[in-house]
Amino acid sequence: MVKKILNWFEDRTGVAAAVWPMLTHPIPKGTGWSYTLGSATLAAFIVQVITGTALALAYVPSTSQAYLSLKFITHTAPFGDILRGMHYWGASMMMVLIGMHMAQVFLYGAYKYPREMNWLSGSALLLLTVGMAFTGQLLRWDQNAVWAVVVAAEQAGRTPFIGKMLAHFILAGDTVGGATLNRFFAIHVFFIPGLIFGGIALHLFLVLRNGISEPPFPGLPAEKKTYRQRYEAMIHKNGEPFFPDAAWRDAVMGLVVVLAIFLLALIFGPAHLAKPPNPAIIHAEPVPDWYFLWYFGILAILPHNSEQYFIIAAPMIWGFLLIGLPFVFPTGSRDPAKRPWAFAVVIAAWTIIIVFWMDAKKHWWVPDFHPKPLAANILESKSKVVALGARYFQTKGCLYCHRMGHDGGIRGPNLTYVGDRLNNAELMARIMMGGYNMPAFSKILKPSQADALVTFLHSRRHFYNNRPMIPKNAHTAKRVANSP
């Protein structure tokens, strides 16, 4: 009975006749586990589709209900926290795997003739994956996600000539609101996934059309006149069918990816939900998800007024490199040993990402809204004006961004010894008029408060009244405490 049903289905649809040749298409001998990274990325994307569809059944894309619906999914819906966790860690896994896959293709020289279009379609899929990750963060609709998008729009707004238009497109208006959420939801759920499905179909078609690149061997360069004939002869002589000879490795890798995503969701849970969005509250950390953190780290260290050039130049240079690579180096040796510059490029790229990611983990561009109070010896200075200024320094939020000794934020300059650098007039000008990333306090502080604050800051010197101000170790602290 089962055989009759299958025969009937095949006679009406021809599915097996269409699919079987693709499953058994010959591939070069010697392809190993490094060739499973593409299938692993596809497995992560399938997890995203399944979990994203399930989440969309309960998610409400409105400013009044989005946050509440996520709270319901996380804390009330059966297995909702696991579902959200798998969607979050699936995005992380997909970002890592697609980066590793492109690095492997680059090292193996698999972008060379006749697979230039394979590389370009893969580059487009990388861009779409980044777009999926970026649009997904706002859908949490919490305080940090909303401010992160505001920061992204502000950065895009610095792009020369088209900055205002880009910012307006990101926000779907002049400010963050319901239109912004609806636009991100539509792009994240419908537009980009549709393009990814089309990109995957094209990518797989090109793999079948041009064949899987053979492992790079010394002395076998990719030449337009001879490559196809040599490849066909090699496949005919030593080729092996994809199924089952190589398909089992893809199946195992896909299973490992799905299991890893599930375990990460089970152990670490979903992305943290901060407080509901409130534009009146600025106490938020507009920090992107971890896979974008290295980029924020680079932007944070750039000199003032240079970010807009980097924001537009870096993506353009990266895009030109990805697009131009198979056309600049279409032929030649694919052996990594003959292309040491390829190793250097991959190592440099991963080093930059890791180093800036580790540095950006400190979030040092974000104010510290819960700093430790100033030390008692500072607040209880013998000078009443200095002590009063110290209290203003603490109560007016200066500690959010500025460090004093071992306490305070690190977003602004360290003011431990600011009295050695600036005089009273310069300090007053900085406080009252503001500066780069610092608001003007002329309408916030009374003249007497500003005077006390300046007096306190000017007293912050290595030596004040011939005494060291900030002890550097326990011995010095004891000596200062016992001095007259």
PDB file of all heavy atoms in Angstrom, residues 12-30:
ATOM      1  N   ARG A  12       2.421  11.631 -10.381  1.00  0.00           N
ATOM      2  CA  ARG A  12       1.729  12.918 -10.528  1.00  0.00           C
ATOM      3  C   ARG A  12       2.660  14.120 -10.348  1.00  0.00           C
ATOM      4  O   ARG A  12       2.377  15.205 -10.872  1.00  0.00           O
ATOM      5  CB  ARG A  12       0.602  13.025  -9.504  1.00  0.00           C
ATOM      6  CG  ARG A  12      -0.743  12.496  -9.973  1.00  0.00           C
ATOM      7  CD  ARG A  12      -0.711  11.008 -10.254  1.00  0.00           C
ATOM      8  NE  ARG A  12      -2.030  10.462 -10.542  1.00  0.00           N
ATOM      9  CZ  ARG A  12      -2.254   9.187 -10.792  1.00  0.00           C
ATOM     10  NH1 ARG A  12      -1.244   8.316 -10.773  1.00  0.00           N
ATOM     11  NH2 ARG A  12      -3.473   8.749 -11.047  1.00  0.00           N
ATOM     12  N   THR A  13       3.734  13.956  -9.586  1.00  0.00           N
ATOM     13  CA  THR A  13       4.581  15.122  -9.272  1.00  0.00           C
ATOM     14  C   THR A  13       5.979  15.043  -9.868  1.00  0.00           C
ATOM     15  O   THR A  13       6.569  16.068 -10.206  1.00  0.00           O
ATOM     16  CB  THR A  13       4.712  15.284  -7.742  1.00  0.00           C
ATOM     17  OG1 THR A  13       5.363  14.125  -7.201  1.00  0.00           O
ATOM     18  CG2 THR A  13       3.342  15.464  -7.094  1.00  0.00           C
ATOM     19  N   GLY A  14       6.542  13.855  -9.944  1.00  0.00           N
ATOM     20  CA  GLY A  14       7.906  13.716 -10.450  1.00  0.00           C
ATOM     21  C   GLY A  14       8.959  14.275  -9.514  1.00  0.00           C
ATOM     22  O   GLY A  14      10.046  14.657  -9.962  1.00  0.00           O
ATOM     23  N   VAL A  15       8.657  14.319  -8.202  1.00  0.00           N
ATOM     24  CA  VAL A  15       9.589  14.893  -7.238  1.00  0.00           C
ATOM     25  C   VAL A  15      10.878  14.086  -7.176  1.00  0.00           C
ATOM     26  O   VAL A  15      11.995  14.632  -7.221  1.00  0.00           O
ATOM     27  CB  VAL A  15       8.932  14.979  -5.846  1.00  0.00           C
ATOM     28  CG1 VAL A  15       9.969  15.348  -4.789  1.00  0.00           C
ATOM     29  CG2 VAL A  15       7.803  15.994  -5.858  1.00  0.00           C
ATOM     30  N   ALA A  16      10.774  12.778  -7.057  1.00  0.00           N
ATOM     31  CA  ALA A  16      11.973  11.946  -6.942  1.00  0.00           C
ATOM     32  C   ALA A  16      12.846  12.052  -8.184  1.00  0.00           C
ATOM     33  O   ALA A  16      14.080  12.114  -8.096  1.00  0.00           O
ATOM     34  CB  ALA A  16      11.574  10.489  -6.702  1.00  0.00           C
ATOM     35  N   ALA A  17      12.213  12.088  -9.342  1.00  0.00           N
ATOM     36  CA  ALA A  17      12.976  12.195 -10.585  1.00  0.00           C
ATOM     37  C   ALA A  17      13.729  13.513 -10.667  1.00  0.00           C
ATOM     38  O   ALA A  17      14.799  13.594 -11.284  1.00  0.00           O
ATOM     39  CB  ALA A  17      12.037  12.052 -11.792  1.00  0.00           C
ATOM     40  N   ALA A  18      13.178  14.565 -10.021  1.00  0.00           N
ATOM     41  CA  ALA A  18      13.838  15.873 -10.051  1.00  0.00           C
ATOM     42  C   ALA A  18      14.897  15.998  -8.962  1.00  0.00           C
ATOM     43  O   ALA A  18      15.954  16.596  -9.178  1.00  0.00           O
ATOM     44  CB  ALA A  18      12.795  16.979  -9.906  1.00  0.00           C
ATOM     45  N   VAL A  19      14.609  15.424  -7.784  1.00  0.00           N
ATOM     46  CA  VAL A  19      15.489  15.612  -6.642  1.00  0.00           C
ATOM     47  C   VAL A  19      16.644  14.613  -6.637  1.00  0.00           C
ATOM     48  O   VAL A  19      17.779  14.965  -6.263  1.00  0.00           O
ATOM     49  CB  VAL A  19      14.686  15.511  -5.324  1.00  0.00           C
ATOM     50  CG1 VAL A  19      15.611  15.530  -4.119  1.00  0.00           C
ATOM     51  CG2 VAL A  19      13.669  16.639  -5.243  1.00  0.00           C
ATOM     52  N   TRP A  20      16.393  13.377  -7.038  1.00  0.00           N
ATOM     53  CA  TRP A  20      17.416  12.345  -6.929  1.00  0.00           C
ATOM     54  C   TRP A  20      18.705  12.690  -7.671  1.00  0.00           C
ATOM     55  O   TRP A  20      19.794  12.494  -7.130  1.00  0.00           O
ATOM     56  CB  TRP A  20      16.861  11.007  -7.400  1.00  0.00           C
ATOM     57  CG  TRP A  20      17.788   9.859  -7.131  1.00  0.00           C
ATOM     58  CD1 TRP A  20      18.483   9.118  -8.047  1.00  0.00           C
ATOM     59  CD2 TRP A  20      18.134   9.335  -5.854  1.00  0.00           C
ATOM     60  NE1 TRP A  20      19.233   8.165  -7.437  1.00  0.00           N
ATOM     61  CE2 TRP A  20      19.045   8.265  -6.070  1.00  0.00           C
ATOM     62  CE3 TRP A  20      17.782   9.646  -4.542  1.00  0.00           C
ATOM     63  CZ2 TRP A  20      19.597   7.532  -5.027  1.00  0.00           C
ATOM     64  CZ3 TRP A  20      18.324   8.903  -3.509  1.00  0.00           C
ATOM     65  CH2 TRP A  20      19.221   7.874  -3.748  1.00  0.00           C
ATOM     66  N   PRO A  21      18.651  13.199  -8.897  1.00  0.00           N
ATOM     67  CA  PRO A  21      19.914  13.567  -9.556  1.00  0.00           C
ATOM     68  C   PRO A  21      20.689  14.639  -8.792  1.00  0.00           C
ATOM     69  O   PRO A  21      21.923  14.652  -8.819  1.00  0.00           O
ATOM     70  CB  PRO A  21      19.454  14.077 -10.933  1.00  0.00           C
ATOM     71  CG  PRO A  21      18.140  13.432 -11.161  1.00  0.00           C
ATOM     72  CD  PRO A  21      17.500  13.350  -9.810  1.00  0.00           C
ATOM     73  N   MET A  22      19.982  15.540  -8.112  1.00  0.00           N
ATOM     74  CA  MET A  22      20.678  16.566  -7.331  1.00  0.00           C
ATOM     75  C   MET A  22      21.342  15.967  -6.100  1.00  0.00           C
ATOM     76  O   MET A  22      22.440  16.359  -5.711  1.00  0.00           O
ATOM     77  CB  MET A  22      19.692  17.675  -6.926  1.00  0.00           C
ATOM     78  CG  MET A  22      19.184  18.506  -8.101  1.00  0.00           C
ATOM     79  SD  MET A  22      18.208  19.942  -7.592  1.00  0.00           S
ATOM     80  CE  MET A  22      16.703  19.142  -7.067  1.00  0.00           C
ATOM     81  N   LEU A  23      20.674  14.995  -5.469  1.00  0.00           N
ATOM     82  CA  LEU A  23      21.246  14.373  -4.277  1.00  0.00           C
ATOM     83  C   LEU A  23      22.450  13.509  -4.620  1.00  0.00           C
ATOM     84  O   LEU A  23      23.374  13.373  -3.818  1.00  0.00           O
ATOM     85  CB  LEU A  23      20.185  13.526  -3.569  1.00  0.00           C
ATOM     86  CG  LEU A  23      19.053  14.276  -2.866  1.00  0.00           C
ATOM     87  CD1 LEU A  23      18.053  13.291  -2.284  1.00  0.00           C
ATOM     88  CD2 LEU A  23      19.604  15.173  -1.764  1.00  0.00           C
ATOM     89  N   THR A  24      22.434  12.922  -5.791  1.00  0.00           N
ATOM     90  CA  THR A  24      23.517  12.011  -6.158  1.00  0.00           C
ATOM     91  C   THR A  24      24.519  12.645  -7.108  1.00  0.00           C
ATOM     92  O   THR A  24      25.329  11.924  -7.706  1.00  0.00           O
ATOM     93  CB  THR A  24      22.926  10.745  -6.807  1.00  0.00           C
ATOM     94  OG1 THR A  24      22.139  11.121  -7.949  1.00  0.00           O
ATOM     95  CG2 THR A  24      22.058   9.979  -5.815  1.00  0.00           C
ATOM     96  N   HIS A  25      24.494  13.953  -7.275  1.00  0.00           N
ATOM     97  CA  HIS A  25      25.441  14.572  -8.197  1.00  0.00           C
ATOM     98  C   HIS A  25      26.869  14.317  -7.711  1.00  0.00           C
ATOM     99  O   HIS A  25      27.132  14.332  -6.499  1.00  0.00           O
ATOM    100  CB  HIS A  25      25.173  16.074  -8.320  1.00  0.00           C
ATOM    101  CG  HIS A  25      25.599  16.866  -7.116  1.00  0.00           C
ATOM    102  ND1 HIS A  25      24.832  16.959  -5.974  1.00  0.00           N
ATOM    103  CD2 HIS A  25      26.719  17.602  -6.879  1.00  0.00           C
ATOM    104  CE1 HIS A  25      25.445  17.710  -5.081  1.00  0.00           C
ATOM    105  NE2 HIS A  25      26.592  18.110  -5.602  1.00  0.00           N
ATOM    106  N   PRO A  26      27.781  14.064  -8.624  1.00  0.00           N
ATOM    107  CA  PRO A  26      29.148  13.709  -8.227  1.00  0.00           C
ATOM    108  C   PRO A  26      29.910  14.913  -7.682  1.00  0.00           C
ATOM    109  O   PRO A  26      29.746  16.042  -8.152  1.00  0.00           O
ATOM    110  CB  PRO A  26      29.763  13.181  -9.526  1.00  0.00           C
ATOM    111  CG  PRO A  26      29.003  13.862 -10.607  1.00  0.00           C
ATOM    112  CD  PRO A  26      27.602  14.036 -10.086  1.00  0.00           C
ATOM    113  N   ILE A  27      30.724  14.660  -6.684  1.00  0.00           N
ATOM    114  CA  ILE A  27      31.562  15.695  -6.087  1.00  0.00           C
ATOM    115  C   ILE A  27      33.004  15.205  -6.071  1.00  0.00           C
ATOM    116  O   ILE A  27      33.249  13.985  -6.147  1.00  0.00           O
ATOM    117  CB  ILE A  27      31.096  16.049  -4.661  1.00  0.00           C
ATOM    118  CG1 ILE A  27      31.238  14.828  -3.740  1.00  0.00           C
ATOM    119  CG2 ILE A  27      29.666  16.577  -4.664  1.00  0.00           C
ATOM    120  CD1 ILE A  27      30.959  15.126  -2.288  1.00  0.00           C
ATOM    121  N   PRO A  28      33.970  16.096  -5.978  1.00  0.00           N
ATOM    122  CA  PRO A  28      35.377  15.663  -5.960  1.00  0.00           C
ATOM    123  C   PRO A  28      35.676  14.810  -4.739  1.00  0.00           C
ATOM    124  O   PRO A  28      35.089  14.984  -3.660  1.00  0.00           O
ATOM    125  CB  PRO A  28      36.150  16.979  -5.920  1.00  0.00           C
ATOM    126  CG  PRO A  28      35.199  18.011  -6.404  1.00  0.00           C
ATOM    127  CD  PRO A  28      33.843  17.563  -5.987  1.00  0.00           C
ATOM    128  N   LYS A  29      36.589  13.900  -4.892  1.00  0.00           N
ATOM    129  CA  LYS A  29      37.014  13.070  -3.789  1.00  0.00           C
ATOM    130  C   LYS A  29      37.918  13.877  -2.863  1.00  0.00           C
ATOM    131  O   LYS A  29      38.719  14.685  -3.310  1.00  0.00           O
ATOM    132  CB  LYS A  29      37.759  11.847  -4.323  1.00  0.00           C
ATOM    133  CG  LYS A  29      38.027  10.784  -3.272  1.00  0.00           C
ATOM    134  CD  LYS A  29      38.659   9.552  -3.891  1.00  0.00           C
ATOM    135  CE  LYS A  29      38.872   8.464  -2.844  1.00  0.00           C
ATOM    136  NZ  LYS A  29      39.452   7.235  -3.441  1.00  0.00           N
ATOM    137  N   GLY A  30      37.787  13.664  -1.578  1.00  0.00           N
ATOM    138  CA  GLY A  30      38.652  14.336  -0.615  1.00  0.00           C
ATOM    139  C   GLY A  30      38.010  15.507   0.091  1.00  0.00           C
ATOM    140  O   GLY A  30      38.646  16.150   0.939  1.00  0.00           O
TER     141      GLY A  30
END
